[in-house]
Amino acid sequence: MTKAMAVDQQQQSHRPGLLKQTNKSHKHGKHKSKGSLETLRKGKVNIKVISKKVKKNTREDRRNQATQIRKNKRDEVLSSRRKFLEAPFMVAVVPLSNSIVLGDVMEMIEKADPEAVITHSSEGHLHLSLPRFKQRFSFILLDTSNIFNVLDALKVSDTVLFLMTPSEGIDPTGHVLMSAIVAQGLPTSAAAIFNLNDVPIKKRNECKQEIEKVVNKYIPEEKVMSLSNATDVLNVMRKIGNQKQRKIVFRDRRPHLLAEKLDFIYKENDNTKGVLKVTGYLRGQNLSVNSLVHIPGWGDFQMLQIDISDDPHPLNPHKQDGMAEESVRVLDKADPAKQVSLQSEIVPDPMDAEQTWPTGEELAEAEANSSQGKEEAKTRARVKKVPRGFSDYQAAWIPDSDAEEEFMSSDEESEDGDSEEEDDDDAMSVAESSGKMEADEETMSTYSEVPVDKDKYDKAMDMEEEQEALAKLQEAHMDAQFPDELDTPLDTPARVRFQKYRGLESFRTSAWDPKENLPLDYARIFQFQNFDRTRKRVLKQIEDTEGAQPGWYITVHIDNVLESQFLAYQGAPFLIYGLLPHEHKMSVLNMLLKRPSTLQRTQDPVASKEELWFQCGFRRFKASPVFSQHTNGNKHKYERFFQPEATVIATCYAPILYPPAPVLAFKKMKDDSVELIAVGSVHSVNPDRLIVKRVILSGHPLKIHKRSAVVRFMFFNREDIEWFKPVELRTKYGRRGHIKEPLGKEKCY
């Protein structure tokens, strides 16, 4: 008995159940071996391993691959910096305080390093070669009294050095200048405080922090340095030479050159014109002699030839005497067959639409069609009233008398924004729209007045100008409160005053022909079949341009330059830009503008069609733009005033410019100074943009019934009421209807 029980106990063993505890394996910190991986796979092979041949990637192959990747990255960095290494670093020195003397700054820079090679160009630029850094610098000292000269110089500069004083920091003129520079496109920047040693030692850090806070509003995370002695100058040079260069798209896509030397040669047969020789370092892209160049403020010109010469500002001291005459050689000459023409406008042919003399069969067929058309016209004349001078397309907007019920029962879709335009809750309105870019007789276009000193205000005040400015302010204020609302004129019939307007059933969905009744100037402009596609094609061809390469020291011969233009030049930074294809042709330019509150005189009204100065990319021109809303769709509402804190599209005739490109809008004052009023960018080049002017005629309800109302002061004669019968009326709360009948000087609907 006892023996049997012992046998049973030996045969039984513990079998783990579902709740068996499994402890974690020891983490030895090593990777799994190939054997352990084979054990885990249990003989299973991945399908990718079976289908593809296993490539052996040895340690030597991996090392070679890493070496190649590292070499390619290094070559890419060197190629991106090669443009800046071939030509000197162009540094524009911009003082933001009026108390800074530019002569003292130049003297401090020249005496910073005794081993530096210092040369000067004929245009007054300082060239500094530092053997210890193995780098060259070109300094342009700018006078901030002319904002256009500063903006032009910063367009071609690699780095801008802002200088401030401990006492003033950034003065009011400096704030306006900084706003314009940031809006135009800020290049690689550096900031320094000039003569910080004049401040006591205990207050230097506090003064530096206060100025740094103001600078960071325009340039975030910019560290302000000191510029008081030779060591500070070398530290600034080291930072400028080693910091990463910021890209400006509109500048880097075009060849540009800052003149180091200018020569004017008169032509043999014409004493009023000559050839201008511009010498300097080419930057940006390649420059072809057959393309066109643009000089800001002068216009577009053709080139005769391009010469290349040795660098007159070398890094080695033994080459600092300049280039010899024998070193100048002709790089390329213009080919008349390949040279781009200066024609910027199309010359319309008045006989373009004429036909040849028709044959007898064509005359007989035309006479038969004409007789049949006259009979149909008689039937149409009995039911439709067409104003004199209206085209067939315009006549289609006026419904027939038999179709009045059909017009009243059409789609009840209101015009965008009509329900929010009126101030009177019970007022009835007639919403109308006009053709493209029509003039408004009641819009005033005047210049705002420059503030006069308080002591001389009464003596220098002009009452007529004061009254015009006050009327303009009142008109802009009324336009902001009651957009597009006009009073019906008493001296002119409404059907005559608004004969160019039409009633739109829906501002968004109603059809409108963009080619209807275009002005005569539209026959002279150029238009793209597909602007975006042309822009992509042109930008892809930039790198394939042959000619002078960036970094070369070249001389450009510009043909047909007027003597008066050269004599009027007063030593400002002289720039030339190479134009891309089609950028010299005229078209309709649409610019997106905004009036931020940080600018001065943003509260002054800017009327549509008022003359403004535009700094558009590398161009500068004046125009009278038409403002419109920045909205989607094919029709855009005309804006009579550019209100503060608003965003609009400014449309004007201008040369073609491929976006992206910054836009600055300036207003000319009485003392010939200019003030920045708006900033933005190029939106598009589209002559077919529809700008529709809307007018709202409102009346006062005298009697309100259940299904009708009597409205006064909307029209003042019976003929006007009959004329506007087809146009739908609507209230602020969305009720709609039509004019039913006139009641004396009133009407009921």
Side-chain angles (χ1 to χ4, degrees):
M1 185 74 178
T2 305
K3 186 176 180 180
M5 291 177 63
V7 173
D8 293 339
Q9 291 178 356
Q10 292 177 358
Q11 292 179 352
Q12 293 178 357
S13 61
H14 175 71
R15 296 181 179 180
L18 298 176
L19 302 178
K20 177 187 177 182
Q21 178 181 355
T22 56
N23 298 327
K24 294 182 179 180
S25 60
H26 175 64
K27 297 181 179 179
H28 48 71
K30 298 180 180 179
H31 297 288
K32 294 181 180 180
S33 62
K34 294 182 180 179
S36 61
L37 292 176
E38 291 290 341
T39 304
L40 293 176
R41 284 197 293 264
K42 296 180 180 181
K44 297 178 182 179
V45 182
N46 193 355
I47 186 65
K48 293 184 178 180
V49 178
I50 300 174
S51 60
K52 295 183 179 180
K53 184 179 180 180
V54 180
K55 296 181 180 180
K56 294 183 179 180
N57 190 5
T58 62
R59 181 179 299 178
E60 189 67 24
D61 295 338
R62 293 194 298 269
R63 185 182 293 111
N64 292 335
Q65 185 179 5
T67 304
Q68 291 176 1
I69 294 175
R70 184 166 57 252
K71 182 177 180 299
N72 293 336
K73 289 184 178 180
R74 182 182 179 184
D75 294 341
E76 183 180 354
V77 173
L78 291 177
S79 62
S80 62
R81 297 188 61 185
R82 188 169 292 116
K83 296 180 181 179
F84 302 100
L85 294 176
E86 290 179 355
F89 283 99
M90 186 178 297
V91 183
V93 182
V94 180
L96 300 179
S97 302
N98 293 327
S99 59
I100 295 179
V101 181
L102 296 178
D104 298 341
V105 177
M106 181 178 292
E107 184 179 358
M108 182 180 295
I109 294 175
E110 291 178 354
K111 296 180 179 180
D113 189 359
E115 298 179 358
V117 180
I118 300 174
T119 55
H120 296 270
S121 63
S122 59
E123 291 297 312
H125 305 159
L126 171 63
H127 291 268
L128 184 67
S129 299
L130 298 178
R132 65 169 66 189
F133 294 157
K134 296 182 180 180
Q135 291 176 338
R136 297 182 300 166
F137 302 90
S138 298
F139 290 91
I140 311 172
L141 304 181
L142 300 175
D143 185 9
T144 58
S145 60
N146 191 329
I147 188 173
F148 288 141
N149 293 341
V150 177
L151 294 178
D152 289 343
L154 294 187
K155 290 177 186 178
V156 297
S157 299
D158 300 327
T159 304
V160 53
L161 176 60
F162 296 109
L163 296 181
M164 296 150 286
T165 57
S167 58
E168 295 182 356
I170 302 179
D171 57 13
T173 304
H175 283 285
V176 177
L177 187 61
M178 286 294 295
S179 300
I181 293 173
V182 173
Q184 175 182 259
L186 183 68
T188 307
S189 60
I193 303 177
F194 187 65
N195 288 336
L196 186 60
N197 293 339
D198 297 342
V199 181
I201 299 178
K202 295 183 179 180
K203 295 184 178 180
R204 289 179 186 176
N205 191 21
E206 181 181 357
C207 177
K208 186 177 180 180
Q209 290 179 354
E210 292 179 357
I211 295 178
E212 192 169 318
K213 289 181 182 179
V214 180
V215 174
N216 289 340
K217 294 181 181 179
Y218 302 100
I219 315 173
E221 301 180 359
E222 178 68 29
K223 299 298 181 180
V224 179
M225 306 178 67
S226 175
L227 194 68
S228 302
N229 49 44
T231 305
D232 294 339
V233 174
L234 294 178
N235 292 334
V236 172
M237 295 299 102
R238 184 181 291 105
K239 178 182 179 180
I240 293 175
N242 296 330
Q243 62 185 352
K244 184 179 179 181
Q245 296 294 326
R246 186 177 301 170
K247 294 183 179 180
I248 301 178
V249 179
F250 85 94
R251 179 191 67 180
D252 296 338
R253 285 179 176 174
R254 298 169 178 84
H256 51 274
L257 183 145
L258 176 66
E260 299 280 344
K261 181 181 179 182
L262 293 176
D263 291 324
F264 187 80
I265 302 175
Y266 290 93
K267 288 191 173 183
E268 297 180 357
N269 300 328
D270 192 356
N271 294 329
T272 61
K273 295 181 180 180
V275 178
L276 182 64
K277 298 171 62 177
V278 184
T279 306
Y281 294 96
L282 181 64
R283 291 176 171 85
Q285 300 294 333
N286 296 349
L287 178 62
S288 175
V289 71
N290 294 320
S291 61
L292 300 180
V293 293
H294 174 78
I295 303 176
W298 291 22
D300 301 338
F301 299 91
Q302 290 179 334
M303 292 179 285
L304 293 179
Q305 70 180 35
I306 297 178
D307 300 338
I308 184 172
S309 57
D310 295 337
D311 196 337
H313 311 289
L315 184 63
N316 298 328
H318 62 276
K319 294 183 180 181
Q320 67 181 8
D321 294 336
M323 60 182 180
E325 291 294 336
E326 295 79 8
S327 62
V328 180
R329 58 187 182 276
V330 178
L331 178 65
D332 197 0
K333 290 188 177 182
D335 186 1
K338 299 180 181 180
Q339 201 168 22
V340 180
S341 174
L342 284 172
Q343 181 181 359
S344 61
E345 298 179 359
I346 299 175
V347 180
D349 186 7
M351 305 297 293
D352 187 23
E354 296 294 329
Q355 299 179 356
T356 57
W357 188 258
T359 61
E361 297 178 356
E362 292 177 347
L363 289 174
E365 184 180 358
E367 186 177 357
N369 295 335
S370 177
S371 61
Q372 183 179 359
K374 290 180 180 179
E375 295 179 358
E376 294 179 358
K378 290 180 181 179
T379 59
R380 290 197 301 268
R382 296 173 185 173
V383 295
K384 179 176 291 189
K385 297 179 180 179
V386 181
R388 182 177 300 176
F390 267 38
S391 62
D392 295 339
Y393 181 78
Q394 290 174 311
W397 289 87
I398 302 178
D400 301 337
S401 60
D402 297 338
E404 184 176 355
E405 296 181 359
E406 180 183 355
F407 177 78
M408 294 176 64
S409 62
S410 61
D411 187 11
E412 300 273 328
E413 195 168 12
S414 63
E415 183 177 351
D416 297 346
D418 285 350
S419 60
E420 300 179 2
E421 298 292 336
E422 302 181 31
D423 183 64
D424 191 353
D425 294 346
D426 298 329
M428 305 298 174
S429 64
V430 178
E432 299 182 350
S433 302
S434 75
K436 189 172 185 178
M437 301 181 186
E438 293 293 338
D440 186 5
E441 292 81 359
E442 298 182 3
T443 301
M444 299 177 63
S445 177
T446 58
Y447 292 109
S448 58
E449 186 176 354
V450 174
V452 185
D453 296 340
K454 296 181 179 180
D455 299 337
K456 301 180 181 179
Y457 181 80
D458 295 333
K459 297 180 180 179
M461 184 177 61
D462 190 349
M463 289 303 299
E464 293 183 0
E465 295 180 356
E466 289 287 328
Q467 292 177 357
E468 291 178 0
L470 179 60
K472 187 176 180 180
L473 287 171
Q474 292 176 349
E475 190 176 356
H477 182 67
M478 291 296 295
D479 183 74
Q481 287 189 339
F482 309 102
D484 305 322
E485 288 196 19
L486 291 180
D487 295 333
T488 305
L490 298 175
D491 54 346
T492 305
R495 62 186 183 276
V496 177
R497 169 63 178 84
F498 305 108
Q499 62 182 349
K500 294 183 179 180
Y501 290 70
R502 66 187 61 167
L504 285 187
E505 189 174 353
S506 173
F507 190 86
R508 180 178 59 87
T509 60
S510 297
W512 200 300
D513 185 9
K515 303 295 185 182
E516 174 198 357
N517 292 339
L518 294 178
L520 295 178
D521 291 337
Y522 262 59
R524 300 161 50 194
I525 64 175
F526 289 85
Q527 183 175 3
F528 294 97
Q529 186 176 4
N530 191 329
F531 177 73
D532 295 334
R533 183 173 59 192
T534 305
R535 173 179 169 272
K536 292 180 180 179
R537 177 178 56 82
V538 169
L539 296 181
K540 285 183 179 179
Q541 298 175 355
I542 292 178
E543 298 180 356
D544 299 335
T545 305
E546 298 180 355
Q549 297 182 8
W552 290 1
Y553 193 79
I554 62 174
T555 300
V556 180
H557 297 249
I558 303 176
D559 192 19
N560 292 328
V561 177
L562 296 178
E563 178 193 14
S564 58
Q565 293 176 335
F566 180 75
L567 295 178
Y569 172 67
Q570 298 179 356
F574 192 89
L575 314 173
I576 62 173
Y577 295 90
L579 298 182
L580 299 179
H582 312 299
E583 281 194 334
H584 65 288
K585 299 178 181 178
M586 295 293 294
S587 186
V588 177
L589 188 65
N590 302 311
M591 299 168 286
L592 179 63
L593 297 180
K594 184 178 181 180
R595 300 183 66 186
S597 58
T598 56
L599 301 180
Q600 292 183 350
R601 305 189 69 84
T602 53
Q603 301 300 325
D604 293 348
V606 180
S608 187
K609 302 173 186 175
E610 184 174 347
E611 188 178 85
L612 300 175
W613 279 90
F614 289 97
Q615 184 88 13
C616 187
F618 56 86
R619 291 186 181 274
R620 182 167 59 248
F621 57 88
K622 63 179 179 179
S624 300
V626 175
F627 300 131
S628 60
Q629 288 185 350
H630 180 41
T631 55
N632 295 328
N634 58 350
K635 292 184 290 296
H636 310 275
K637 192 176 78 69
Y638 172 84
E639 292 288 345
R640 289 177 173 81
F641 288 92
F642 189 2
Q643 300 291 352
E645 297 293 337
T647 302
V648 299
I649 297 292
T651 304
C652 64
Y653 294 108
I656 295 171
L657 183 65
Y658 297 111
V663 176
L664 306 179
F666 297 89
K667 189 174 182 180
K668 192 173 183 180
M669 312 308 294
K670 294 182 180 178
D671 57 352
D672 292 338
S673 63
V674 293
E675 289 191 3
L676 181 64
I677 62 170
V679 297
S681 60
V682 175
H683 182 261
S684 63
V685 180
N686 183 18
D688 288 341
R689 178 182 172 89
L690 279 174
I691 301 177
V692 180
K693 183 185 294 184
R694 186 177 66 179
V695 168
I696 297 177
L697 302 180
S698 59
H700 178 70
L702 179 64
K703 298 178 183 179
I704 301 177
H705 305 289
K706 185 176 181 180
R707 294 186 177 275
S708 62
V710 178
V711 182
R712 301 183 64 189
F713 307 126
M714 183 176 287
F715 302 106
F716 300 102
N717 56 71
R718 186 177 296 267
E719 290 77 9
D720 290 343
I721 297 175
E722 295 291 342
W723 174 269
F724 286 95
K725 264 190 176 183
V727 181
E728 188 182 46
L729 298 99
R730 53 183 64 87
T731 66
K732 182 178 180 180
Y733 292 101
R735 293 189 177 184
R736 289 182 269 187
H738 285 83
I739 298 174
K740 193 173 182 180
E741 61 178 352
L743 300 177
K745 290 187 178 181
E746 304 166 355
K747 69 177 183 304
C748 166
Y749 76 98

